[in-house]
Amino acid sequence: MIRVEKQPEPRPPGFDFDNRVRQPGLSALAELTGQPQTLTRSGRPIGQRAIRVEDLTHNDLRDYPYWTRALDAMHEAYRGICAYSCFYMEPLCGPTVDHFVALSRTGAAQAYEWDNYRLACSLMNAAKNKFPDVLDPFVIQDGWFTLNLVTFQVEAAEGLDEPLKQQVQATITRLKLDSREVSNTHLKWFETYWKPMVPTQPIPLWFLEQRAPFLVREMRRQGRIRPEDAAGLR
């Protein structure tokens, strides 16, 4: 994992997050807690499920997933990079909206808030689930996680204070960042860079960085990039 810079909530003339996600969501929350709807809409009234918003569950919101409307805007804002695996996701290949503060842990209060969203592949989203032991990509520091370029497994960096090291390791374990699937993806991109199918047409480092930024950061740190790319960095 690398630090993810939180992007501002999208507004017109681009995607209107407030009108497309927040306001319909808040209206649904009002009805779900027995209050009058705040937006006029067609269709049947929403039945009351709880007295307080905090008592609503993920199941209560299943029919009102307005956060999915923000997926294209999130993909663009975060350049298609999964906040947890640090690999690029094609729009048709499983990007999802992860509620960092899970709905099942805090009720629905942050269900329709941009700041609670992280762009995540479906595999990472499912692994994180409702568990609170995953470090937030918005607050981690570069260098807490490293990549072993022999095994291609994600590891906790050496020299971290023990409490932080435990948090990093817990994140690796929870998200299975040291799994065969994740390691093989790192290895595939590494070999694509070093062993291109057409030797005279190697892929540019900038392209690899767009697809696997964590891998490239570790390749640079460990001096595992081509001499001409290293020269270009000076």
Side-chain angles (χ1 to χ4, degrees):
M1 293 173 66
I2 56 178
R3 180 178 176 82
V4 176
E5 293 296 331
K6 182 169 67 174
Q7 298 302 302
E9 178 181 311
R11 304 178 187 278
F15 181 75
D16 190 346
F17 180 85
D18 187 61
N19 283 324
R20 294 280 292 149
V21 179
R22 180 182 290 114
Q23 295 308 321
L26 292 177
S27 186
L29 294 180
E31 290 190 78
L32 285 166
T33 53
Q35 305 299 316
Q37 65 184 38
T38 58
L39 289 181
T40 302
R41 62 172 183 82
S42 59
R44 298 170 57 186
I46 299 174
Q48 182 176 354
R49 303 282 183 86
I51 297 176
R52 305 181 308 160
V53 169
E54 292 78 7
D55 296 327
L56 293 170
T57 68
H58 183 271
N59 287 336
D60 294 326
L61 301 186
R62 185 165 294 174
D63 293 331
Y64 317 102
Y66 298 117
W67 54 82
T68 61
R69 295 176 176 180
L71 190 52
D72 288 346
M74 288 191 66
H75 192 275
E76 180 178 356
Y78 291 103
R79 297 176 293 111
I81 301 295
C82 173
Y84 301 108
S85 69
C86 294
F87 294 122
Y88 177 79
M89 300 171 289
E90 294 290 349
L92 296 178
C93 297
T96 66
V97 176
D98 167 56
H99 291 83
F100 183 74
V101 179
L103 304 183
S104 55
R105 288 200 288 118
T106 63
Q110 298 186 57
Y112 307 104
E113 293 299 329
W114 174 265
D115 285 351
N116 192 37
Y117 297 167
R118 309 293 182 269
L119 185 67
C121 69
S122 56
L123 181 66
M124 293 292 118
N125 202 341
K128 176 180 169 289
N129 202 325
K130 62 183 179 181
F131 300 103
D133 54 355
V134 173
L135 287 168
D136 187 352
F138 287 174
V139 302
I140 68 169
Q141 299 298 312
D142 287 342
W144 289 2
F145 296 79
T146 62
L147 184 65
N148 186 318
L149 293 181
V150 176
T151 65
F152 289 90
Q153 289 188 330
V154 179
E155 300 174 347
E158 295 182 3
L160 298 177
D161 293 339
E162 192 58 33
L164 177 57
K165 184 177 181 180
Q166 291 178 3
Q167 287 181 292
V168 170
Q169 187 57 55
T171 298
I172 293 171
T173 300
R174 176 66 64 196
L175 298 179
K176 300 180 176 63
L177 295 176
D178 53 357
S179 67
R180 182 180 63 181
E181 292 81 5
V182 174
S183 299
N184 283 347
T185 304
H186 282 300
L187 175 60
K188 180 199 74 172
W189 279 115
F190 184 83
E191 290 185 336
T192 298
Y193 174 79
W194 279 107
K195 302 175 183 178
M197 294 182 65
V198 181
T200 58
Q201 298 178 14
I203 68 168
L205 186 64
W206 61 262
F207 178 83
L208 182 62
E209 190 163 29
Q210 290 180 349
R211 295 302 188 267
F214 175 61
L215 170 64
V216 171
R217 191 201 71 185
E218 287 298 287
M219 289 168 60
R220 283 175 170 157
R221 185 180 68 84
Q222 299 179 45
R224 299 294 296 279
I225 59 177
R226 295 187 297 257
E228 61 269 27
D229 289 329
L233 295 174
R234 298 194 186 104

